[in-house]
Amino acid sequence: DTAVSQTPKYLVTQMGNDKSIKCEQNLGHDTMYWYKQDSKKFLKIMFSYNNKELIINETVPNRFSPKSPDKAHLNLHINSLELGDSAVYFCASSQVFAGSTDTQYFGPGTRLTVL
Amino acid sequence: DAKTTQPNSMESNEEEPVHLPCNHSTISGTDYIHWYRQLPSQGPEYVIHGLTSNVNNRMASLAIAEDRKSSTLILHRATLRDAAVYYCILREQGSSNTGKLIFGQGTTLQVKP
């Protein structure tokens, strides 16, 4: 069983479109995250949710809107896609929020290409 | 957030030990040292973490300097499957911990057969 899953794995779309990426974790964790890995391979936090509540929004444009319908899911909706949004997006989860010893479990990533 | 410095890349031969260094000279007394790695085309995965004492698990060992300003991730027998980017990350304790992992550029480990 996959602990953290994301769909789709690949997403190719045109500029200006709206798209969503889904994330599910079956670990029973309270906290979920979205990270973005750009073309230079830098990984950076975008959002974190704890018990469905937004905790971190790292100055991400408001075209990006995370939604957490329940603790096991954290979806990422992106409006008006731009070329610079092309990246690999990783979802992650952890058992506790802001634990200095907790482990984050990452999904396989969604490669978004905006043409 | 305290920063870490790692070499951009390292090479190793298969079945030999690998020592991956990390400098964190501004580490605070309560920061934990975590290591994650990212295999090609996969998400990062946890490797090991420690505070002051050396740590061992099934994947690796973590050696922490006495002054905690540096640490070394040790893979005892590298395999081709260990070729990845290895990230050394500091995690704060207490209210200043926002839960996020702050990734640097990491060390790209190449393992030669």
Side-chain angles (χ1 to χ4, degrees):
Chain A
D1 284 342
T2 305
V4 182
S5 59
Q6 295 179 227
T7 53
K9 189 166 174 62
Y10 300 97
L11 186 52
V12 181
T13 188
Q14 300 285 333
M15 264 196 329
N17 284 351
D18 303 338
K19 290 292 177 187
S20 292
I21 306 172
K22 295 186 176 181
C23 177
E24 177 181 1
Q25 54 95 1
N26 62 8
L27 299 166
H29 288 169
D30 285 345
T31 308
M32 296 185 72
Y33 311 82
W34 277 108
Y35 288 83
K36 178 181 178 180
Q37 187 166 41
D38 62 23
S39 57
K40 294 184 176 158
K41 304 290 187 182
F42 280 110
L43 262 163
K44 191 172 178 190
I45 184 78
M46 298 175 70
F47 300 102
S48 74
Y49 268 72
N50 187 48
N51 281 321
K52 302 193 297 173
E53 181 183 343
L54 178 66
I55 302 297
I56 297 174
N57 178 340
E58 285 282 321
T59 60
V60 177
N62 57 15
R63 298 184 296 105
F64 291 79
S65 51
K67 292 262 188 324
S68 183
D70 54 59
K71 285 199 306 184
H73 296 85
L74 181 62
N75 303 324
L76 184 64
H77 188 76
I78 315 170
N79 289 328
S80 304
L81 278 155
E82 300 177 357
L83 293 176
D85 298 331
S86 295
V88 182
Y89 292 84
F90 290 100
C91 177
S93 74
S94 62
Q95 189 164 18
V96 298
F97 172 68
S100 52
T101 60
D102 75 312
T103 298
Q104 291 190 16
Y105 295 82
F106 285 78
T110 295
R111 181 175 292 277
L112 171 65
T113 303
V114 182
L115 303 175
Chain B
D1 295 308
K3 291 187 177 176
T4 63
T5 306
Q6 299 176 250
N8 283 338
S9 62
M10 290 184 66
E11 285 185 357
S12 170
N13 293 320
E14 199 176 9
E15 299 194 5
E16 288 186 357
V18 182
H19 290 231
L20 296 161
C22 180
N23 286 323
H24 28 77
S25 57
T26 59
I27 191 170
S28 77
T30 55
D31 287 351
Y32 276 80
I33 302 159
H34 286 245
W35 284 80
Y36 280 72
R37 71 179 185 180
Q38 186 174 19
L39 301 171
S41 301
Q42 294 189 29
E45 65 175 346
Y46 167 81
V47 178
I48 200 166
H49 76 273
L51 183 62
T52 56
S53 304
N54 294 345
V55 184
N56 300 300
N57 67 20
R58 64 174 181 81
M59 288 180 74
S61 295
L62 177 59
I64 301 173
E66 199 168 327
D67 63 5
R68 297 200 344 114
K69 293 184 186 300
S70 65
S71 60
T72 302
L73 180 70
I74 303 166
L75 306 179
H76 295 285
R77 286 178 76 236
T79 68
L80 296 177
R81 208 190 159 277
D82 290 321
V85 180
Y86 287 78
Y87 297 98
C88 171
I89 300 168
L90 300 182
R91 304 204 68 188
E92 301 169 348
Q93 291 191 57
S95 59
S96 55
N97 182 346
T98 59
K100 63 186 179 185
L101 293 176
I102 300 175
F103 290 86
Q105 93 283 351
T107 296
T108 299
L109 175 65
Q110 188 177 9
V111 180
K112 296 179 177 178

